Amino acid sequence: MPDVKVTYDKTANAAYIYFTDPQVSVRSAHTCPCDPIDVDGMINLDFDKQGRLIGIEVLAATSKLPEYVLQAAERRDPQGS
């Protein structure tokens, strides 16, 4: 199984978990927003045209993901460059 790629933008406090090669242009055909009260945050599921899950966007990432995941993620914010 290939490694899963995670990117993190500290300024937006948002992370993205890729289930496809982020270098390949796979477009989201449908986004399913998940805003469950129990989670106290927003998680968006992105699907391709065939209905396959291609990625997960996690908002309020510092409160939803373990710190080691965010530390290992590729940074997308200006401070992470």
Side-chain angles (χ1 to χ4, degrees):
M1 175 181 225
D3 291 334
V4 174
K5 181 172 180 171
V6 179
T7 60
Y8 175 57
D9 184 326
K10 185 174 183 176
T11 305
N13 193 17
Y16 197 86
I17 304 164
Y18 292 86
F19 295 118
T20 60
D21 184 346
Q23 306 305 318
V24 176
S25 181
V26 177
R27 299 213 175 228
S28 174
H30 175 72
T31 299
C32 179
C34 302
D35 190 12
I37 294 170
D38 293 343
V39 173
D40 190 32
M42 177 64 82
I43 298 171
N44 295 313
L45 306 176
D46 288 334
F47 296 89
D48 67 10
K49 287 190 263 185
Q50 288 77 37
R52 293 178 293 219
L53 182 64
I54 59 172
I56 301 172
E57 179 185 39
V58 180
L59 305 177
T62 54
S63 66
K64 304 296 171 243
L65 296 173
E67 181 64 29
Y68 75 89
V69 171
L70 299 177
Q71 288 178 355
E74 178 182 312
R75 293 289 294 272
R76 296 292 180 157
D77 54 277
Q79 293 95 357
S81 301

